[in-house]
Amino acid sequence: MTSTSIRDMPADQRPRERFNRVGPRRLKDAEVLAMIIGSGVRGRSSLELAQSLLKAFGGPVGLSAASAEQLQKAEGVGEALAGRIAAAAELSRRCRLRTPQHDGG
């Protein structure tokens, strides 16, 4: 994928629009991560950054196991984004550990 803005993509291919149209379960891993990332960084769209991170960490499992400090070492990832990704991974981990009856927040 070349360095383009998400806005340069056809509307029906943008992660947020696809999320709204087909739902989260039909999105690719990079599209879900792009939704968490929000906006891209200079020269890279959120989708390109998401693809790069998934590749660097070996996919969603490796990414979810990474600490915020490890995430910050990736190009284009600062403290805020690393925290957002790590928090999303932690929420996912907590969901896997709890049953609906024991969801106490």
Side-chain angles (χ1 to χ4, degrees), residues 1-58:
M1 181 172 246
T2 60
S3 291
T4 58
S5 167
I6 287 287
R7 288 179 280 236
D8 294 334
M9 295 176 75
D12 65 337
Q13 293 178 14
R14 296 176 193 161
R16 187 177 335 164
E17 285 75 5
R18 280 188 34 80
F19 176 90
N20 290 331
R21 193 176 76 249
V22 302
R25 292 184 179 181
R26 302 266 319 265
L27 296 182
K28 296 175 184 171
D29 294 339
E31 292 172 313
V32 173
L33 183 55
M35 295 277 300
I36 294 166
I37 291 171
S39 59
V41 296
R42 186 173 307 207
R44 297 170 86 184
S45 70
S46 59
L47 189 56
E48 290 170 320
L49 182 55
Q51 291 165 335
S52 173
L53 289 171
L54 288 166
K55 183 176 180 182
F57 288 92

Side-chain angles (χ1 to χ4, degrees), residues 58-72:
V61 174
L63 188 70
S64 68
S67 68
E69 292 79 20
Q70 291 169 316
L71 291 167
Q72 285 182 62

